[in-house]
Amino acid sequence: MEKTDIRSMTLPELEGFIVERLGDKKFRAKQIYDWMHVKLVQNFYEMTNLSKNLRERLASEATLRPLQMADCLVSKIDGTRKYLFRLEDGSIIESVLMKYKHGNSVCISSQVGCRMGCRFCASTLAGLERNMTASEMLGQIYAIQKESGERVSNVVIMGTGEPLDNYDSAVRFMRMISDENGLNISQRNITISTCGLVPQIYRLADEHLQITLAISLHASNNDKRKSMMPIAHKYSIEELLKACKYYYETNGRRLTFEYSLAGGVNDSPEDARALAHLLKGFMWHVNLIPINPVEEREYVQSDRKSIVNFKNNLEKYGGNVTIRREMGRDIQAACGQLRRRYMTQLEKKEV
Ligand code: SAH
């Protein structure tokens, strides 16, 4: 029988499991929850205030879906740490710890691979292997907090995968990481990024979470967006922005629009003007991401001057614009590239 993934359970769910399945007392659930989500242990034997018998029963019926660190690279430039983790089934995933003045931010993956097919992205090259469980998403933060000794204050779900394509686990993860019985990271410090799955944006709006929703827009018209992102064939920019309006009206939370700048593709003054026009009526924040060139992809980064011009042009229209700082350039911290390199090397070895 498959073991139960109890680290993905909320406290009330865990109480049900302990009482109904194991026939033990309800208060044990709180102790176990604390070991998993505050003390961050990765096996049952470390749960020393439980009887040996209970620990053994847990080990035979449940799993914590532990993550093993396969590699950790530390940037000499800015201290960014890039992690490769091996999941219980051997899948390899990546996460990043970035240190900012305002705190430590962890970028986590939400799927093993991705099926969205964005043309500039390394994470989607080999397609989707599987969804991740909430416990595997939590486990990335727990493992990083333990390994680095740093308290994680911000979470961005911007690693490999499309989180809204793994909707239930992503929402469960956000509720649990912000749960006062766990690490209690404020929802205001959580950002979830999506390529724009419209029905799920409506659903997410109705969850009433205080998180930041980031939309990967990347283009100022539908034709250009279609050439960069297959999802644009399914939902038009107009449909996407309508969902964003609903999200804003329902939650009062300002959205972020991500715009990756590819040289000669979407970085002209006309693009900036058209983008500002699209966002009219929004309280908008655009985060410009200089494209990270990926070996297998044809896109190149815009030159510095075009990036700055784009920002200035956009600002004229009254919104808030930032350029994402490149972190950990020396350790391939960008967008799925370390995992990609690791997997390619593995394939070469296996051949
Ligand atoms: N699936 C989510 C999370 C993806 S990664 C989404 O689509 O939003 C986070 C951001 O990095 C997205 O905006 C994504 O489009 C962008 N991105 C991916 N690969 C990139 C690359 N090589 N250069 C610049 N931005 C990239």
Side-chain angles (χ1 to χ4, degrees):
M1 200 175 63
E2 205 177 318
K3 292 185 179 181
T4 307
D5 170 18
I6 62 167
R7 198 162 64 163
S8 288
M9 287 181 173
T10 60
L11 182 56
E13 287 166 349
L14 186 63
E15 285 169 349
F17 177 82
I18 297 299
V19 174
E20 282 147 37
R21 178 82 169 272
L22 301 187
D24 214 309
K25 300 224 167 49
K26 190 173 154 189
F27 79 92
R28 293 284 175 212
K30 178 78 174 73
Q31 290 178 319
I32 297 166
Y33 199 89
D34 197 60
W35 281 111
M36 293 191 289
H37 300 289
V38 178
K39 299 197 183 85
L40 313 182
V41 302
Q42 285 220 88
N43 72 69
F44 296 111
Y45 294 96
E46 288 177 61
M47 302 184 176
T48 47
N49 58 358
L50 307 181
S51 69
K52 190 154 169 274
N53 181 280
L54 178 56
R55 282 184 266 168
E56 276 165 7
R57 287 201 61 200
L58 282 167
S60 70
E61 301 213 18
T63 172
L64 298 175
R65 290 211 182 265
L67 276 70
Q68 267 175 13
M69 204 171 82
D71 205 355
C72 172
L73 301 179
V74 183
S75 165
K76 293 197 179 67
I77 304 173
D78 53 35
T80 296
R81 297 165 93 84
K82 178 103 189 191
Y83 297 86
L84 282 180
F85 292 113
R86 187 173 294 107
L87 307 181
E88 222 176 15
D89 66 353
S91 301
I92 296 288
I93 58 150
E94 66 178 69
S95 331
V96 191
L97 168 68
M98 292 159 287
K99 296 181 184 176
Y100 296 102
K101 276 193 214 89
H102 64 263
N104 296 310
S105 187
V106 168
C107 172
I108 65 157
S109 295
S110 56
Q111 293 180 313
V112 183
C114 182
R115 59 180 182 139
M116 294 297 131
C118 298
R119 301 253 146 72
F120 42 82
C121 177
S123 296
T124 194
L125 284 164
L128 176 68
E129 274 178 46
R130 69 168 174 86
N131 277 332
M132 285 171 56
T133 61
S135 95
E136 287 167 335
M137 295 171 75
L138 292 164
Q140 296 170 59
I141 293 166
Y142 298 174
I144 289 175
Q145 186 151 307
K146 280 193 101 171
E147 190 282 329
S148 66
E150 302 272 356
R151 190 174 143 61
V152 175
S153 52
N154 291 62
V155 175
V156 296
I157 314 177
M158 287 195 188
T160 302
E162 167 49 49
L164 296 189
D165 189 37
N166 182 16
Y167 185 89
D168 291 339
S169 294
V171 169
R172 179 174 280 271
F173 162 79
M174 292 190 285
R175 291 198 192 286
M176 290 179 73
I177 198 71
S178 56
D179 180 5
E180 58 182 7
N181 293 303
L183 281 194
N184 198 8
I185 294 176
S186 161
Q187 287 186 357
R188 289 173 180 274
N189 294 347
I190 301 174
T191 299
I192 186 167
S193 174
T194 177
C195 66
L197 303 186
V198 168
Q200 285 92 323
I201 293 174
Y202 283 105
R203 232 181 121 189
L204 186 66
D206 292 334
E207 306 274 354
H208 299 292
L209 298 168
Q210 288 298 299
I211 53 164
T212 299
L213 177 61
I215 304 288
S216 299
L217 194 56
H218 302 328
S220 57
N221 66 53
N222 284 312
D223 284 343
K224 236 175 236 191
R225 196 160 189 266
K226 280 180 197 165
S227 76
M228 301 172 79
M229 307 171 74
I231 194 70
H233 290 275
K234 196 155 182 196
Y235 307 110
S236 67
I237 291 181
E238 293 70 28
E239 285 172 287
L240 175 58
L241 292 180
K242 202 168 152 212
C244 292
K245 275 220 167 73
Y246 178 78
Y247 189 93
Y248 177 71
E249 282 160 9
T250 313
N251 292 291
R253 302 275 304 152
R254 196 174 69 161
L255 284 84
T256 294
F257 294 94
E258 293 162 281
Y259 193 98
S260 293
L261 284 163
V265 176
N266 62 355
D267 62 347
S268 70
E270 173 53 27
D271 285 305
R273 199 195 58 78
L275 177 61
H277 186 71
L278 277 180
L279 299 181
K280 232 168 146 177
F282 276 96
M283 292 268 295
W284 50 270
H285 170 214
V286 171
N287 193 12
L288 298 172
I289 315 172
I291 278 264
N292 292 297
V294 174
E295 213 177 281
E296 295 86 344
R297 305 298 206 187
E298 74 257 38
Y299 293 102
V300 295
Q301 199 171 88
S302 305
D303 54 65
R304 200 67 210 165
K305 199 165 148 245
S306 307
I307 297 174
V308 174
N309 279 345
F310 197 91
K311 177 174 190 280
N312 292 340
N313 278 325
L314 209 50
E315 272 172 344
K316 277 191 219 141
Y317 298 95
N320 179 291
V321 189
T322 47
I323 300 177
R324 187 191 289 173
R325 250 201 313 148
E326 277 185 276
M327 304 285 280
R329 204 176 182 158
D330 55 329
I331 53 165
Q332 308 210 7
C335 308
Q337 298 189 22
L338 182 63
R339 173 173 183 265
R340 177 84 195 142
R341 195 182 59 181
Y342 187 87
M343 303 301 279
T344 319
Q345 277 167 1
L346 219 61
E347 277 162 25
K348 280 191 193 136
K349 267 188 221 149
E350 278 164 7
V351 170

